[in-house]
Amino acid sequence: MSRSSGPATNGFDGKVVIEVRCNEYTMRDHNRHVPWSPDEIAADAAACREAGASVVHFHARDPETGAMRGDTETYAAVIRAIRSQSDVLVNPTLGASTIPDPLQRVAHIPELAKDPATRPELAPVDLGSFNVDPFDWDTLQFRAEEIVYRTSVAGLRHEIDAITAAGVGVQSVLWTVGSARCLGAFLAMGVLPSPAFAEVTLSDVMLSTHPGTVRGMQALVEFLPPGVHWSVSCFGGNLLGLVTAAVEAGGHVSIGLGDYPYRELGEPTNAEVVAEVVRMVRAMGREPATPDEVRAVLGVGA
């Protein structure tokens, strides 16, 4: 049985949360503006905040090569740099499928949380296990055939417990209907606190999740537990075509160069992508939520 999430205007008074997914594991071959270094990420976050974003999600990267950096010191440097320039909520990655062990995957969050200056407001937990299977429709080839993002229920509970015990909020990342149902179970069990904030993840290249279409989004949103605040993202696809549908359905927007280069806008910065989302949101008679409004509704960052 499906359960509708109901209107997500509850608590936000109709305002729209815009989260910037600024870099992920993305290189600069399609857009040179992907930020890597702490200073670049901080400047990007400040510009996005000025444009209307309230949350920034980032991956720690090597400043020169763009390679993933998983050490706590680099995460801390990024967070300090961001907070020196803006008041956006900080949402660092756990490393996803690049770190197989859930205990190791989440280890930097409690360490960061020991210092209020580096404690993030949010941390993402991908609910479930699935193939990492990007498919190239031009060549009819998988770009990866052996990567499995595997996390047991016990592993998920460890990640969530470590994050919440550190005084950090959880962003539940949903890749499938099963992820949404797991979210409902964790809320019913009290494993996750309310209000919950979830990201509905779509993709034009990953076959293991829903496609980046209105129908793909609706099919997953239909199974959200009641009262969940949710945003939509699209890995490997242009999310701008879904902004209006998501907002009309009561959702929010998670977007950025980490997921897609947005060459339809030229060679934009993340801030320019955010500005386009804000333009669309305001055309609907809505306003972007401020960081303080997001903190108050989600009860994070106190």
Side-chain angles (χ1 to χ4, degrees), residues 15-20 44-56 86-89 252-253 255 270-279 281-282 286-294:
K15 293 187 176 181
V16 179
V17 179
I18 301 174
E19 176 185 25
V20 180
D44 188 83
C48 289
R49 167 66 175 100
E50 182 68 21
S54 52
V55 183
V56 61
S86 69
D87 64 344
V88 293
L89 281 76
H252 305 276
V253 180
I255 193 168
N270 275 310
E272 289 168 338
V273 175
V274 170
E276 179 62 15
V277 174
V278 171
R279 183 194 66 77
V281 165
R282 285 178 171 157
R286 306 289 188 90
E287 286 292 322
T290 67
D292 282 346
E293 288 169 335
V294 177

Side-chain angles (χ1 to χ4, degrees), residues 26-199:
T26 303
M27 303 308 286
R28 292 172 172 164
D29 46 347
H30 297 297
N31 190 316
R32 59 192 167 93
H33 296 301
V34 178
W36 290 347
S37 72
D39 287 344
E40 289 170 350
I41 295 171
D44 188 83
C48 289
R49 167 66 175 100
E50 182 68 21
S54 52
V55 183
V56 61
H57 170 68
F58 74 91
H59 288 224
R61 307 283 293 274
D62 183 278
E64 300 299 326
T65 68
M68 176 186 170
R69 294 282 294 270
D71 58 286
T72 302
E73 292 76 15
T74 301
Y75 281 107
V78 174
I79 295 172
R80 288 193 182 97
I82 290 173
R83 290 190 170 146
S84 73
Q85 298 191 40
S86 69
D87 64 344
V88 293
L89 281 76
V90 176
N91 183 16
T93 187
L94 298 193
S97 60
T98 63
I99 303 176
D101 183 356
L103 277 68
Q104 181 185 0
R105 195 184 294 157
V106 75
H108 59 294
I109 300 299
E111 289 300 312
L112 291 168
K114 290 178 181 178
D115 183 349
T118 59
R119 181 187 299 124
E121 284 88 355
L122 294 165
V125 174
D126 297 286
L127 296 188
S129 301
F130 47 86
N131 290 336
V132 178
D133 56 357
F135 185 74
D136 190 323
W137 287 98
D138 292 327
T139 64
L140 300 182
Q141 298 289 325
F142 284 96
R143 296 203 292 267
E145 294 192 2
E146 297 184 357
I147 303 175
V148 178
Y149 188 3
R150 182 181 293 108
T151 315
S152 67
V153 172
L156 292 174
R157 293 191 64 166
H158 173 81
E159 290 180 5
I160 292 167
D161 289 347
I163 292 167
T164 56
V168 178
V170 175
Q171 180 189 51
S172 298
V173 183
L174 314 180
W175 291 78
T176 64
V177 168
S179 295
R181 298 177 72 192
C182 181
L183 172 60
F186 280 166
L187 287 170
M189 295 168 66
V191 173
L192 277 167
S194 293
F197 183 47
E199 179 190 302

